[in-house]
Amino acid sequence: MAWNEEVAARDYLPAEERQQLQLKRLQHTVQRVYTSVPFYQQAMDALQIHPSHINSLADLHRLPFTTRYDLIEHYPLGLLSVPREQLSRIHASSGTRSKAKIVGYTRRDIDIWGEVCARSLACAGLQPGDILHNAYGYGLFTGGLGLHYGGEYLGMTVVPMSSGSTQRQVTFLHDMQATALCCTPSYALTIAETLSALGMSAQDLHLKCGIFGAEPWTKALCQQIEDRLGLHALDIYGLSEIIGPGVAMECIQSHQDKQADRSLHIFEDHFLPEIIDPATGEALPYGAEGELVFTTITKEGMPLLRYRTGDLCTLIAEPCTCGRTLVRMSQIKGRVDDMLIIRGINVFPAEIKRILFGFAELAPYYQILIERKHTLDSAVVQTEITPSMQTAISPQEVDSATWTDNEQIQQLQKRITQVFYAQLHLHIDIQIQPTGTLPRSEGKAIRVIDRRPT
Ligand code: DLL
């Protein structure tokens, strides 16, 4: 399969035409899973819903949900809708605390994945002939191979770097004159830092845009990446269970409109989105914040009905300035299961991040460590000072023995602890460390280390 005008036009279909296509595909998928996946037949029978009852898109809400626990319960391949021999590829999403969720793709699924990733790259304004430096990890993680096939489908030249060896990444970005960079936002920052450490700047590169996703990121981080790498930092969303990257993508036109809230186009001719109340499962209208749910309507290997992503966002029906008629989602605002309970108090890591990013003296690196001593939980946030602040405080080389006694550091720590207490009603210790102390991310950044027994 290759990029052509007909594929490009799929983003601009009149709404009615797309809805007809969606209904036909939904009916086909429901029929398929009912007859080939025992889990779905049982779940639909329990709700007394039969494939013949799906007569409109609104009937989607009558179908059963699928959760990540269903995938884990049917580990490894119990939800396949085709015999295993028909799979071309297997990927997995690593749960940090649970078994991996395994996903099987047929040849056709791989083609569709290539198509949606190519459409994502086209959303970024990229074209055949552009050079894509792909620093997402290759392997079971879907980032590497997903965007690799998308780049080739669009007719780009792909440099399959994978993650790690950051100095080498900078050399290849420079020498191959890459016009687009794909990686997590936290790794983009690590690459930017290495670029400066090598005495180079954005002017030495040819980057037009970055396709950054797989983890949540803030406006402030986006701005830093754009300034340091000289590109437009665009957001791409996806999850292995649905297909991988290429479920939704921010377009260059809306990104350049600095007034607009950031949003991503959902490739809804393949993935039907809904927003539900995470507590009750009730479907919510456009504009309401809730849990994002997807039904895959073209997948063969492992189609999923109403998969609860656990990600929180809103759906946006208003048309986009780019002319695409696809529904949009806001950037991810957090996860349903994000909340930490520390000494009986509910804390969202995003709140801690928001407070830290409000202090200009701090660099955008942090880790939240939670431990239990006897029966009491304690939380420590480790972060770093910016290089310029460090030079101002300590013009000579930093002496690690006396760093923690530095009065300015102690004052800053005190101020931040006070803000934590005022806003989160919780005592959180903070340790501000010298520049370059915390581990740098090469993929998804690990921000919370919870050492409490489960
Ligand atoms: O992260 C797929 C991907 C690869 C997306 C490369 C974008 C780019 P998983 O490893 O299965 O798949 O993790 C999926 O990551 O449910 C979200 O919680 C989070 N996530 C993915 N994209 C974004 C994003 C890949 N743009 C989980 N913003 C999802 C915020 C994201 N969170």
Side-chain angles (χ1 to χ4, degrees):
M1 300 290 280
W3 188 250
N4 59 36
E5 276 178 20
E6 190 270 319
V7 176
R10 291 177 192 165
D11 289 5
Y12 303 89
L13 281 186
E16 219 165 86
E17 199 177 318
R18 183 176 297 117
Q19 283 160 10
Q20 282 170 13
L21 185 69
Q22 287 171 326
L23 178 59
K24 215 170 79 195
R25 289 177 168 178
L26 175 65
Q27 288 170 325
H28 178 79
T29 299
V30 173
Q31 178 66 44
R32 177 190 183 100
V33 297
Y34 188 77
T35 49
S36 60
V37 187
F39 164 76
Y40 280 124
Q41 188 173 60
Q42 281 164 19
M44 286 174 62
D45 286 348
L47 292 176
Q48 298 187 325
I49 173 119
H50 188 264
S52 62
H53 297 154
I54 304 297
N55 297 311
S56 74
L57 285 175
D59 290 328
L60 176 68
H61 304 316
R62 301 173 64 186
L63 292 167
F65 286 118
T66 314
T67 67
R68 65 185 164 126
Y69 302 106
D70 297 320
L71 262 74
I72 292 166
E73 193 179 324
H74 294 87
Y75 178 91
L77 292 170
L79 295 185
L80 287 190
S81 158
V82 294
R84 202 272 309 142
E85 296 72 16
Q86 287 181 27
L87 295 185
S88 296
R89 179 104 62 79
I90 283 172
H91 280 279
S93 166
S94 58
T96 38
R97 288 183 165 221
S98 62
K99 260 188 194 161
K101 287 159 272 170
I102 309 290
V103 187
Y105 301 71
T106 63
R107 183 64 251 165
R108 189 161 170 266
D109 293 336
I110 298 285
D111 286 342
I112 286 174
W113 192 16
E115 175 203 312
V116 288
C117 282
R119 285 164 70 183
S120 302
L121 295 167
C123 264
L126 294 166
Q127 293 176 340
D130 269 306
I131 301 174
L132 183 74
H133 178 111
N134 190 8
Y136 282 117
Y138 280 62
L140 287 174
F141 175 57
T142 51
L145 284 169
L147 282 148
H148 180 105
Y149 276 61
E152 288 187 352
Y153 191 115
L154 185 62
M156 301 172 79
T157 305
V158 182
V159 186
M161 291 301 294
S162 197
S163 55
S165 310
T166 311
Q167 287 203 11
R168 199 151 169 258
Q169 302 271 357
V170 172
T171 307
F172 268 78
L173 279 169
H174 175 265
D175 295 356
M176 295 299 130
Q177 306 196 349
T179 50
L181 168 64
C182 287
C183 60
T184 58
S186 53
Y187 194 42
L189 194 61
T190 309
I191 293 177
E193 206 180 41
T194 307
L195 183 76
S196 315
L198 292 172
M200 296 162 82
S201 75
Q203 273 82 51
D204 296 303
L205 303 180
H206 292 77
L207 290 169
K208 294 191 287 195
C209 66
I211 290 90
F212 302 134
E215 61 184 5
W217 45 317
T218 55
K219 250 191 181 156
L221 180 55
C222 175
Q223 193 60 54
Q224 279 220 24
I225 297 171
E226 295 199 330
D227 293 347
R228 297 175 74 167
L229 289 177
L231 45 64
H232 292 295
L234 303 171
D235 194 356
I236 184 165
Y237 170 83
L239 63 165
S240 325
E241 300 90 304
I242 296 305
I243 205 152
V247 173
M249 175 74 199
E250 182 179 15
C251 67
I252 182 77
Q253 292 87 348
S254 70
H255 184 81
Q256 281 173 319
D257 177 0
K258 294 285 176 203
Q259 305 308 318
D261 281 336
R262 293 182 71 186
S263 63
L264 295 84
H265 292 282
I266 298 174
F267 298 106
E268 54 171 328
D269 43 337
H270 295 291
F271 319 110
L272 280 189
E274 297 171 73
I275 292 288
I276 61 160
D277 178 329
T280 64
E282 184 200 345
L284 298 178
Y286 283 145
E289 185 176 320
E291 182 177 353
L292 184 60
V293 170
F294 282 108
T295 298
T296 67
I297 52 173
T298 49
K299 269 180 84 184
E300 288 181 337
M302 209 178 95
L304 294 180
L305 301 184
R306 305 190 79 198
Y307 184 70
R308 294 184 62 159
T309 63
D311 294 320
L312 295 168
C313 69
T314 58
L315 290 179
I316 303 158
E318 287 79 42
C320 178
T321 45
C322 73
R324 286 181 177 79
T325 54
L326 298 162
V327 68
R328 286 176 288 156
M329 57 184 263
S330 66
Q331 280 195 301
I332 298 296
K333 302 196 169 155
R335 281 192 55 81
V336 174
D337 50 12
D338 239 2
M339 194 178 74
L340 298 166
I341 304 179
I342 304 171
R343 267 178 262 147
I345 295 173
N346 300 344
V347 186
F348 285 93
E351 285 295 292
I352 294 180
K353 173 162 139 187
R354 185 185 53 74
I355 293 172
L356 292 175
F357 279 44
F359 285 85
E361 299 92 331
L362 300 179
Y365 306 101
Y366 66 96
Q367 271 189 335
I368 305 166
L369 310 176
I370 306 157
E371 291 187 326
R372 181 165 297 158
K373 287 186 192 126
H374 306 297
T375 54
L376 208 60
D377 295 342
S378 66
V380 178
V381 172
Q382 296 180 327
T383 185
E384 273 182 21
I385 201 83
T386 58
S388 56
M389 188 65 192
Q390 178 165 311
T391 316
I393 292 177
S394 168
Q396 272 88 44
E397 196 144 304
V398 169
D399 175 358
S400 53
T402 57
W403 173 258
T404 46
D405 299 332
N406 183 291
E407 200 169 315
Q408 287 185 66
I409 292 294
Q410 286 185 351
Q411 285 299 329
L412 182 57
Q413 290 184 161
K414 200 166 153 200
R415 271 168 48 217
I416 300 171
T417 313
Q418 283 166 349
V419 177
F420 279 147
Y421 195 78
Q423 297 195 15
L424 306 177
H425 313 292
L426 185 69
H427 179 81
I428 299 179
D429 278 324
I430 179 136
Q431 295 171 356
I432 302 174
Q433 305 188 348
T435 298
T437 314
L438 290 177
R440 295 298 189 253
S441 161
E442 294 183 352
K444 292 183 194 245
I446 298 168
R447 300 295 190 198
V448 179
I449 302 176
D450 193 342
R451 297 201 180 114
R452 292 176 292 186
T454 42

